[in-house]
Amino acid sequence: MPQNVIDLRKIETPKEPQKNPDQFEEKDPGPVLVEWTAKEYEARTYSQGGFLWKGALALAFILFGITTKNYFFIALVVLAFTVILMYERKVPREVKFSITDHGIQAGRRFFPYSNLKSFWIFDRYDRKEISLATDKLLFPHFIIPLGEVSAPQIRSILTRYLKEEEHQESFTDHLTRYLGF
């Protein structure tokens, strides 16, 4: 009989949630060396022609789904088309970035130098960005827009903490930029 009794005096403390190894740790960012704000991505203006070819492509996929009687595919195409239209209308937010003694702050995310392997600055005529190579599996590279801050100033600060190593833009980066994402 005593085996069925629950002793309420023995309260178990809740276990601490396990940390995901692919998430960055929140740490004290330390003193700010330089900070700036920039849009989270380049805003693009979309023409009616772009809307029409996307709509025509979606319609062609829907007709293909109807002929093959694949209704799940039709729902997926409608959902994808809706998400693309919503994303095109979204206004990019201003994000605050900073470089500190302990790492790089990007909005609410903090990247400690211990989680970063190297950096590279893409300084092109149309945009300036920092590419950070991380040691994480899900986020091997992270791109931060530089906005109006000086690329040589950022380079001189980051070389104190990270090695500068040329990074290549991935196919995904090129594709998303071409498609306007």
Side-chain angles (χ1 to χ4, degrees):
M1 194 87 176
Q3 295 130 2
N4 297 335
V5 176
I6 299 173
D7 190 358
L8 296 177
R9 293 174 289 180
K10 295 180 182 177
I11 299 173
E12 291 185 29
T13 58
K15 295 181 181 177
E16 222 177 274
Q18 292 183 344
K19 292 184 180 178
N20 183 347
D22 290 326
Q23 286 183 338
F24 297 100
E25 298 175 17
E26 292 291 329
K27 291 187 179 178
D28 175 33
V32 175
L33 303 174
V34 65
E35 69 180 356
W36 68 95
T37 59
K39 298 217 180 276
E40 62 183 334
Y41 59 89
E42 295 269 337
R44 287 183 56 174
T45 57
Y46 297 95
S47 66
Q48 290 290 70
F51 173 76
L52 289 176
W53 77 260
K54 290 173 189 163
L57 186 64
L59 185 62
F61 281 133
I62 289 171
L63 291 174
F64 174 75
I66 290 171
T67 57
T68 59
K69 296 183 181 177
N70 190 342
Y71 303 111
F72 180 72
F73 180 71
I74 295 170
L76 183 68
V77 169
V78 169
L79 180 66
F81 182 67
T82 305
V83 168
I84 288 171
L85 289 182
M86 289 174 60
Y87 189 79
E88 286 180 354
R89 295 172 197 259
K90 182 182 172 193
V91 177
R93 349 175 247 126
E94 285 281 327
V95 179
K96 183 179 172 185
F97 300 97
S98 61
I99 298 177
T100 69
D101 282 340
H102 300 135
I104 299 173
Q105 184 86 33
R108 286 189 249 138
R109 297 201 59 195
F110 181 70
F111 300 89
Y113 292 126
S114 60
N115 290 352
L116 301 174
K117 294 178 182 176
S118 64
F119 79 97
W120 183 253
I121 297 179
F122 293 107
D123 192 359
R124 301 193 175 105
Y125 67 94
D126 60 338
R127 70 187 189 288
K128 295 184 295 185
E129 299 170 326
I130 304 172
S131 173
L132 300 170
T134 69
D135 60 358
K136 303 300 178 186
L137 293 175
L138 292 178
F139 298 103
H141 288 283
F142 195 78
I143 303 289
I144 295 176
L146 282 177
E148 299 301 318
V149 73
S150 164
Q153 176 190 11
I154 299 297
R155 181 176 282 117
S156 69
I157 293 171
L158 287 179
T159 52
R160 291 187 237 157
Y161 304 101
L162 296 169
K163 90 178 152 175
E164 184 176 15
E165 185 176 276
E166 185 172 1
H167 298 176
Q168 299 297 321
E169 285 188 299
S170 68
F171 173 73
T172 309
D173 292 335
H174 288 289
L175 182 64
T176 55
R177 189 169 292 113
Y178 176 75
L179 294 175
F181 297 119

